[in-house]
Amino acid sequence: MQGTALNFSAVSCTVLLHVLFEHAAGYALFAVREVEEIGMLLPQVEESVLNVGKFSSIVKLVAFSPFRSAQSALENINAISEGVLHEDLKLFLETNVPGKKKKALLGVGDAKIGAAIPEELKISCQTGGVVAEIIRGIRLHFHALVKGLTAQSASKAQLGLGHSYSRAKVKFNVNRVDNMIIQSISLLDQLDKDINTFSMRVRKWRKMNVSVCTTGRSVRALYWNGTAITFPELIKIVSDNYTYCRTAKFIGNRKELSEEKLEAMEEIVMDSAKAQAVLEASRSSMGMDISPIDLINIESFSSRVISLSEYRKSLQEYLRSKMNQVAPSLSALIGEVVGARLISPCRKSDESGQVPGVHGADPGGREGALQTRGNTPKYGLIFHSTFIGRAAAKNKGRISRYLANKCTIASRIDCFSEIPTPVFGDKLREQVEERLAFYETGEAPRKNLEVMKEAQQEASEVVSEIKRKLDKKERKKKRREKRRLEALAAAAEEENEEAAVQENEGEEPSKKKKKKRKSEGDVSENGIEEERTPTKKKKVSSSEEAPTSEHKKKKKAKVRQEEEDS
């Protein structure tokens, strides 16, 4: 590489401008041919940037240092994105950039890294202008300017490093998903509006006022807001929207309401007196009669409103659980719903922890002040807290600022704690209560240092207990996993043994068959031999039987003769 630089400098005298290019494959240093002014290069570079032949006459590779591994590439790109000079880049520049005698000027694409290099290496850097155009051309023809690097391999390196960099930047934590809280509180607010609108529509549908015309010739039904209403007295007895819709669906046609349905209606309204009042009102109601088809529509619409109300309850429970996971201190201090509304404008809980306390008092209120060009309000979303409502009129501004300060502290604790706990939120809430009592009675509250010491001690105990439970849970999980693996291994071993037994059983009959066939062959052979040998023996015995019988006869004759002689 140094030889290349010497040859190039021999042609173009002294090299004044070098360009650093960071690629997914490694660091590259290019030398630009000398001109009297750097700005004179701009038109030439713009003309030749699309032609690799012309562009290679302007720039030439001086050195290239590939990354050792994908992990090393990720570390270097993270350092560059943060404006930090990595050790690999520092060594590369110290080795390949010419010394002070040549007074080299280094062109870089990133302004942050361009500010860090002069501080550490005392090398003058330039960004923008012709440097940006040269880097654009290098990026376009990089695979042609570096020997041994193909366009396909360069594309693969960029794709792999891009995926790794994105995964490292997206710090996903299942237990601290702020976006879910933001979407949940937005949906909760929208559901509140929709349920109120639909409930009012059900109420209007069930109510009707009757008036007699001044002429007395006809009775006319007056419709409230143009909607037919059938049971006007019910709205005065049952005020809650959800309970009203359930009661309206249960009653149906008010003329069919009787004493038999009274017990079931008590379960809905949760009050025997209200149920009795509804029954009595249905008997003397001024509402209009309703047709079966209209009743079906009212019941269907009431069912939809009831299902939306039930979903809202489940969504609120979901929001409460998420807030206890993500921001337990903020939830303990100001409540889950108000805490979620404070997180929502910041888009993230860590950003809400970075907001100053004085700005935390009126999120949402400053926008209205800017639109109306009025004074900035003392409180915005934080006004929904119960502390503001309990304070006297003259103390609302002071308690709102104090509460905003404590909310900011709680947000920072939730954001930067390894294991968030509601301990600090409970202590901060006690401080707000004491400050509220101080404004009303003059009783001096405890000092912040004492309260924080108590909170820190309790929090350490709670965190240690949580860690102990997590470790225990992890050990149980490992034991279960170990048992599962052992069970799988035992099952696999049994299957192997069964397969081996089946193979052996399959081999034994074949062996027995072979032995049987062999033994049958031996028996047949032996049988033939045995059949032949008796024939031989018979022949032998027939030939030898004659001399033996004659010998016996002679012996008997001799014995008889001796007896006669005696």
Side-chain angles (χ1 to χ4, degrees), residues 404-555:
N405 183 19
K406 298 302 177 185
C407 287
T408 305
I409 293 173
S411 299
R412 289 171 182 170
I413 291 172
D414 290 331
C415 177
F416 300 110
S417 296
E418 183 181 357
I419 301 177
T421 62
V423 175
F424 286 96
D426 294 334
K427 293 296 181 181
L428 292 172
R429 186 180 182 86
E430 292 176 5
Q431 282 189 297
V432 178
E433 293 279 0
E434 292 175 1
R435 182 55 62 109
L436 196 60
F438 170 71
Y439 290 150
E440 294 177 357
T441 63
E443 183 181 355
R446 292 178 295 172
K447 292 185 178 180
N448 187 55
L449 184 61
E450 297 175 2
V451 178
M452 288 297 105
K453 281 183 179 179
E454 292 178 7
Q456 191 172 4
Q457 185 177 0
E458 292 181 14
S460 61
E461 294 175 0
V462 172
V463 168
S464 61
E465 182 68 18
I466 292 173
K467 285 184 177 180
R468 187 183 65 80
K469 289 181 180 179
L470 290 175
D471 293 340
K472 187 177 180 181
K473 189 176 180 180
E474 188 67 23
R475 287 196 298 269
K476 285 183 179 179
K477 185 178 179 181
K478 287 181 180 179
R479 283 198 295 267
R480 284 197 299 268
E481 186 68 18
K482 187 177 180 181
R483 289 171 189 167
R484 188 180 68 83
L485 294 175
E486 289 176 356
L488 290 174
E493 189 175 352
E494 288 179 1
E495 289 179 359
N496 293 333
E497 289 178 358
E498 289 177 0
V501 169
Q502 289 177 359
E503 289 178 0
N504 293 332
E505 288 178 355
E507 290 177 357
E508 285 178 0
S510 60
K511 288 181 180 179
K512 288 181 180 179
K513 288 179 181 178
K514 288 180 182 179
K515 286 182 180 179
K516 189 174 181 181
R517 289 173 186 170
K518 188 175 181 181
S519 61
E520 286 176 356
D522 295 340
V523 168
S524 60
E525 291 175 359
N526 293 334
I528 293 168
E529 289 177 359
E530 287 176 357
E531 287 176 358
R532 290 177 182 175
T533 51
T535 54
K536 289 181 181 179
K537 284 181 180 178
K538 285 178 181 177
K539 290 179 181 180
V540 172
S541 60
S542 60
S543 62
E544 291 180 354
E545 276 181 358
T548 54
S549 58
E550 290 177 358
H551 181 68
K552 288 180 180 179
K553 288 179 179 179
K554 286 180 180 181
K555 193 174 180 178

Side-chain angles (χ1 to χ4, degrees), residues 260-496:
E260 298 176 355
K261 296 183 178 181
L262 187 61
E263 186 177 354
M265 192 162 56
E266 286 180 6
E267 296 179 359
I268 295 174
V269 298
M270 303 296 292
D271 191 351
S272 59
K274 283 186 178 181
Q276 188 65 34
V278 170
L279 180 61
E280 294 175 357
S282 65
R283 292 171 180 172
S284 60
S285 176
M286 297 175 63
M288 65 176 286
D289 294 336
I290 187 169
S291 62
I293 188 65
D294 293 333
L295 183 61
I296 291 172
N297 285 322
I298 292 174
E299 290 179 351
S300 177
F301 188 61
S302 299
S303 301
R304 295 295 180 91
V305 178
I306 291 168
S307 63
L308 281 176
S309 300
E310 291 174 350
Y311 173 67
R312 186 201 176 281
K313 290 181 180 178
S314 63
L315 181 64
Q316 191 168 9
E317 291 296 326
Y318 168 77
L319 178 63
R320 184 177 289 108
S321 64
K322 279 293 180 184
M323 282 295 294
N324 289 330
Q325 291 177 359
V326 176
S329 296
L330 185 62
S331 302
L333 172 61
I334 204 169
E336 292 84 4
V337 176
V338 181
R341 287 197 176 98
L342 290 175
I343 291 175
S344 183
C346 300
R347 299 300 175 192
K348 286 185 180 180
S349 61
D350 56 350
E351 291 181 10
S352 66
Q354 296 170 9
V355 173
V358 67
H359 290 166
D362 61 341
R366 285 176 291 166
E367 296 178 2
L370 291 174
Q371 291 175 0
T372 59
R373 296 184 179 180
N375 295 328
T376 304
K378 295 179 181 178
Y379 23 72
L381 295 174
I382 208 170
F383 182 75
H384 297 285
S385 174
T386 58
F387 295 112
I388 309 297
R390 288 161 52 190
K394 62 179 181 179
N395 296 325
K396 286 185 183 294
R398 290 195 289 176
I399 198 65
S400 67
R401 289 189 293 272
Y402 188 81
L403 181 59
N405 183 19
K406 298 302 177 185
C407 287
T408 305
I409 293 173
S411 299
R412 289 171 182 170
I413 291 172
D414 290 331
C415 177
F416 300 110
S417 296
E418 183 181 357
I419 301 177
T421 62
V423 175
F424 286 96
D426 294 334
K427 293 296 181 181
L428 292 172
R429 186 180 182 86
E430 292 176 5
Q431 282 189 297
V432 178
E433 293 279 0
E434 292 175 1
R435 182 55 62 109
L436 196 60
F438 170 71
Y439 290 150
E440 294 177 357
T441 63
E443 183 181 355
R446 292 178 295 172
K447 292 185 178 180
N448 187 55
L449 184 61
E450 297 175 2
V451 178
M452 288 297 105
K453 281 183 179 179
E454 292 178 7
Q456 191 172 4
Q457 185 177 0
E458 292 181 14
S460 61
E461 294 175 0
V462 172
V463 168
S464 61
E465 182 68 18
I466 292 173
K467 285 184 177 180
R468 187 183 65 80
K469 289 181 180 179
L470 290 175
D471 293 340
K472 187 177 180 181
K473 189 176 180 180
E474 188 67 23
R475 287 196 298 269
K476 285 183 179 179
K477 185 178 179 181
K478 287 181 180 179
R479 283 198 295 267
R480 284 197 299 268
E481 186 68 18
K482 187 177 180 181
R483 289 171 189 167
R484 188 180 68 83
L485 294 175
E486 289 176 356
L488 290 174
E493 189 175 352
E494 288 179 1
E495 289 179 359
N496 293 333

Side-chain angles (χ1 to χ4, degrees), residues 16-17 78 90 124 136 162 168 189 199 216 221-222 248 316 356 361 409 422 447 547-548:
L16 294 179
L17 178 64
N78 284 330
K90 185 177 180 180
S124 300
R136 187 164 69 92
D189 293 339
S199 299
L222 297 179
Q316 191 168 9
I409 293 173
K447 292 185 178 180
T548 54

Side-chain angles (χ1 to χ4, degrees), residues 3 5 9 27 57 97 120 145 180 219 230 262 312 324 326 345 349 406 459 469 517 550 559 564:
S9 61
Y27 293 117
S57 65
V97 175
E120 301 234 2
L145 296 173
M180 299 302 171
V219 177
T230 62
L262 187 61
R312 186 201 176 281
N324 289 330
V326 176
S349 61
K406 298 302 177 185
K469 289 181 180 179
R517 289 173 186 170
E550 290 177 358
V559 171
E564 290 175 355

